[in-house]
Every structure is written in C-alpha cells, then in structure tokens.
Amino acid sequence: MAKLITSPSNPLIKRINSLHEKKFRVREGLFLAEGMRVVTEAVEAGVAPAWLIHGPDMEDHPVLQRLVAATEAAGGEVIETSADVLRKLSRKDNPQSVLGVFTEFGRRLPDLDRNASYVWIVCESLKDPGNLGTILRTADAVGAGGVILLDNSCDPYSVEAVRASMGALFTVPLVQAKWEEFLPWLRSGPSFLVGASLNTDHDYQAIAYPAPTFLFMGNEQSGLPESYEQACDALVKIPMRGKADSLNVAIATAVIVYEVLNQTRRR
C-alpha cells in the first residue's frame, strides 16, 4: 500500500531531491530515474526501485500496478505524492508522473565475460551525459556486451544520463574503470581494440572486425590521447565530405558499431 507524502519538507523527499547532486548520489549509493517507461524498463530487466514515487489518482493505472507489485515484492516502498512534490523532485515544470529511486549497480571488469558479445564500446573521458545515454541506447540496439567508461567520464547515474539512456542503463552492462586497470584486463584474453581517430587514413569500413571487438571512443573535444591510440590494434576514421571535420561522438559510435554489426551479420 502506498504511503502518502505531500510535504516538500518531508525528510525522505529532501533526501531523494538531493540525488540530483553527484556528492549525494555517491554518499547514498542511489540515483533517480524519471518516467514510467524508464522504470518499467528497469523492472523488466530485473531491477526494482528502492522507492517508487507516483502522482495522485494513478492507483488504477495497469502499468503502475505492475511496478508497485514489483517494488513491494523486492522490499521497496511505494510513495504517493502531489504534483508540486513531483515538480520539486524532477525539477521540471511538467514532471513525469512516476519516478524511481534505484541502488547503483555498476559492475567491475572481472565481472564481464568478453565472449558474451561480438562487440563492446569503450569511452575515454566522455563528458556529456546526453552522449553517454545515446551510446547506451546504441549499445542496447546492437546487442553490445556492455559499455566501459574510462578515466574521468561523466557520471552514468546523473539524472541527465539516465534520462538520455531511455532505460538502456538497466539493460546494458556498465563498468567504470581506469586505463591502468582496463588495458591489462583487455590483454588477458581475446580482444581487438580499435580506436576512432583523425590520425589515420584507414576507413572504418576497410578493416575486418573480429570478435570480440572493443570500439574505443575518445573525449568529445580532444579524442583519444596519443598513448592510448598507440595501444590500439587499429585506428579507423569516418570519411567527412563536408566542412565539418568530425561527428558528434555518439553519432560516430553508432556509425562504426553498426559496421561491426553488419560485418558480423554477413559472416
């Protein structure tokens, strides 16, 4: 049964609202996910919220009833609240009617089975949470084994990244690691590390991508560091016919990873 909380000054509401800031997410080990669709994706992936918050007059919604049942079965708590509190929690004038508070569930490199997929996506110092969310969605679409975030990448549990992932955060294995950890792990088993770079003449369609391929994407502004490029088994470039010299990193990731998929399909 839902607990009714309508005061913005309620301690639990204030605690949940604090999760917009990274320091509180790190301290609590919790993060926010907005929207019925995203929370449904999480539940269908076997990840139930610790708190499920919904607006008034939604008790009879069939999807919400399933989310409530999953939350309570996992020991979570259901909160009914007001539109004003939802606006406070979402920080938007037109808030979603459902929010979930989830426990962070990132994996470690040793948890990954590199042979579980033909392709993995590795990002170095990725800064924009919208780009990360889009890359997670692309990883889900192509059946990638997971996304590995290296070094000082953005927080995958920020509200912006979770929103942009459209639920893919819950369906795609995610690991955060340092380069010094990643490279020895990569070389401990089968791997083909291919970096996207402007410092090569190799067209991205001109090389063969064996399984498992690890597609290595760099920072939005500076690309991959030179020492990281030198560690790659191959460097590839997407041809540019216009005046722009590069694509958005999320778009470039999609272009290349679909070439890996298409080669795999043809084999």
Side-chain angles (χ1 to χ4, degrees):
M1 183 176 179
K3 180 179 180 180
L4 182 64
I5 300 178
T6 58
S7 171
S9 61
N10 178 275
L12 178 60
I13 297 301
K14 293 172 71 173
R15 180 184 178 193
I16 293 171
N17 191 44
S18 74
L19 299 177
H20 283 272
E21 298 183 44
K22 183 176 180 178
K23 64 179 181 180
F24 292 111
R25 290 196 298 272
V26 171
R27 188 181 74 184
E28 300 275 1
L30 300 169
F31 67 98
L32 270 173
E34 300 176 341
M36 189 175 293
R37 175 180 172 179
V38 173
V39 177
T40 299
E41 291 276 2
V43 168
E44 291 179 349
V47 184
W51 285 278
L52 177 70
I53 303 101
H54 68 83
D57 304 320
M58 291 191 63
E59 296 88 348
D60 296 330
H61 195 293
V63 176
L64 180 63
Q65 289 177 347
R66 292 197 294 272
L67 298 180
V68 167
T71 301
E72 292 178 340
E77 186 175 14
V78 180
I79 305 294
E80 180 182 343
T81 192
S82 65
D84 286 342
V85 171
L86 283 174
R87 278 191 287 272
K88 178 182 177 69
L89 294 178
S90 67
R91 301 190 179 181
K92 294 191 296 184
D93 290 335
N94 297 304
Q96 299 276 359
S97 57
V98 173
L99 292 91
V101 178
F102 293 86
T103 302
E104 293 186 5
F105 51 86
R107 307 187 189 191
R108 301 176 304 115
L109 288 170
D111 298 332
L112 301 180
D113 176 7
R114 71 183 65 221
N115 296 311
S117 177
Y118 67 101
V119 68
W120 298 73
I121 298 173
V122 185
C123 300
E124 194 274 330
S125 294
L126 192 71
K127 297 302 183 185
D128 187 272
N131 284 333
L132 173 57
T134 303
I135 288 171
L136 284 164
R137 292 172 66 186
T138 299
D140 181 271
V142 300
V147 172
I148 300 170
L149 296 178
L150 297 184
D151 300 338
N152 299 311
S153 291
C154 61
D155 182 5
Y157 300 107
S158 70
V159 172
E160 296 80 9
V162 176
R163 182 187 299 135
S165 79
M166 295 293 288
L169 176 68
F170 299 99
T171 61
V172 176
L174 178 72
V175 165
Q176 299 178 81
K178 296 293 184 183
W179 171 250
E180 294 78 13
E181 305 171 68
F182 169 71
L183 192 60
W185 173 83
L186 182 78
R187 297 311 183 197
S188 68
S191 63
F192 182 71
L193 184 64
V194 55
S197 173
L198 297 176
N199 302 317
T200 183
D201 293 325
H202 291 133
D203 187 289
Y204 79 105
Q205 291 184 318
I207 71 166
Y209 297 95
T213 284
F214 290 79
L215 175 59
F216 199 7
M217 307 300 296
N219 172 266
E220 289 94 336
Q221 300 299 321
S222 55
L224 291 172
E226 182 180 356
S227 60
Y228 290 24
E229 289 189 349
Q230 291 174 353
C232 291
D233 299 301
L235 297 176
V236 297
K237 179 168 65 175
I238 298 171
M240 307 294 295
R241 298 295 178 87
K243 294 183 179 180
D245 62 358
S246 64
L247 290 173
N248 167 275
V249 65
I251 294 175
T253 300
V255 169
I256 300 174
V257 80
Y258 265 96
E259 173 61 21
V260 182
L261 170 61
N262 286 333
Q263 287 193 17
T264 302
R265 293 168 65 197
R266 287 193 292 270
R267 285 199 296 268

